Amino acid sequence: MRNLSRDEAAWRFLGYTFVLLATLLMVVPIYWIVVASTLPEQAFLSAGTDIQLLPGSNFLANLDALQSRESVDFIQSIGNSVFIAVVYTLLSLVLCSMGGFAFAKYEFKFKEPIFYSILATLTLPIQLLVIPLFLMISQMGLSNSYWAIILPWAANPLGIFLMRQNMRQIPDALLESARIDGATEFQLYYRIALPTMKSSLAALAIVLFLFQWNLFLYPLVVLEQGKYTIPVAINELVGAQRVYYDQIMVAAALSIIPLFLVFLFLQRHFVSGILAGSVKE
């Protein structure tokens, strides 16, 4: 094994320290949410003087209190969020990969201006888009439906950008050879481009799922009670007279589980998929 110089050892130590601190910053709040969901409300409200670091035994009582609320069915809101996020992710993967393939491998008029116009929409805040999208969805008769949440964000500009960057690495000679062998343009996309993009698609799937899972303001405006997603359902626990911290902590802890499962299923592709498009350009 090669001996490290003093400078190399110092930089490596700083790097490991930074990674450790960043990990703690991400893990500690999640751990605290899980612990707080198992404690009586008074226990973590007094955390400033008596911090409890170990889980308690009040999780089921807090869950019963959450489920006994008539204003919101939290289990149903989890199902709503899972359905919306899964359908949105699958649909968006198809649209983004097709868009990325077109911008990476075809030449057409105004290609660059169109691409950068799509990319420029990333700078628009969601708050600016909520009212126009709500009016469009209402005119289409889709208000208070799952499609009202899925369709407006299906062609994700960040996804198109990532897919374009990754698909530019596919050799043009490979596509030309397939064309000579009689492959159609759709077969080039489906049989050649997509199989080589598995890691990138997995990484993009995590990003898209997180985006849809955390979307709050737009579902709050478009959806009505009974079709609430998790962020909107948790918001219902913040009353004008009282904030139900114990129920909020249980809801927050349960809402982490689907995200954890998705990341656990796709995590081995995540880093390689994110870095794949950064080699060129």
Side-chain angles (χ1 to χ4, degrees), residues 119-172:
L119 207 58
T121 60
L122 283 172
T123 62
L124 298 176
I126 290 179
Q127 293 84 347
L128 190 66
L129 303 174
V130 166
I131 300 303
L133 287 176
F134 174 73
L135 294 176
M136 291 174 60
I137 288 297
S138 298
Q139 291 176 356
M140 294 169 65
L142 295 176
S143 184
N144 192 33
S145 70
Y146 296 135
W147 294 110
I149 308 298
I150 295 171
L151 292 180
W153 318 98
N156 189 292
L158 177 62
I160 294 174
F161 171 74
L162 292 176
M163 286 294 100
R164 172 185 178 264
Q165 296 301 98
N166 283 277
M167 289 187 175
R168 294 183 75 172
Q169 299 178 45
I170 301 174
D172 292 336

Side-chain angles (χ1 to χ4, degrees), residues 33-185:
I33 289 174
V34 174
V35 170
S37 69
T38 65
L39 300 175
E41 188 175 20
Q42 295 79 9
F44 60 86
L45 284 179
S46 61
T49 56
D50 184 18
I51 298 177
Q52 297 196 37
L53 298 178
L54 298 177
S57 59
N58 216 54
F59 178 82
L60 293 179
N62 293 341
L63 182 61
D64 287 341
L66 177 65
Q67 282 300 99
S68 65
R69 296 182 64 83
E70 296 181 356
S71 60
V72 58
D73 186 338
F74 189 75
I75 299 300
Q76 183 180 356
S77 71
I78 290 182
N80 294 340
S81 280
V82 169
F83 176 80
I84 290 172
V86 169
V87 174
Y88 166 78
T89 300
L90 295 176
L91 178 61
S92 191
L93 283 178
V94 173
L95 295 178
C96 292
S97 60
M98 294 182 78
F101 185 68
F103 281 113
K105 293 302 174 184
Y106 292 104
E107 294 297 331
F108 50 89
K109 199 172 184 180
F110 303 122
K111 172 184 169 181
E112 293 301 318
I114 293 174
F115 174 73
Y116 286 110
S117 297
I118 294 174
L119 207 58
T121 60
L122 283 172
T123 62
L124 298 176
I126 290 179
Q127 293 84 347
L128 190 66
L129 303 174
V130 166
I131 300 303
L133 287 176
F134 174 73
L135 294 176
M136 291 174 60
I137 288 297
S138 298
Q139 291 176 356
M140 294 169 65
L142 295 176
S143 184
N144 192 33
S145 70
Y146 296 135
W147 294 110
I149 308 298
I150 295 171
L151 292 180
W153 318 98
N156 189 292
L158 177 62
I160 294 174
F161 171 74
L162 292 176
M163 286 294 100
R164 172 185 178 264
Q165 296 301 98
N166 283 277
M167 289 187 175
R168 294 183 75 172
Q169 299 178 45
I170 301 174
D172 292 336
L174 181 62
L175 301 181
E176 288 299 328
S177 299
R179 286 192 181 99
I180 293 173
D181 291 338
T184 64
E185 297 304 311

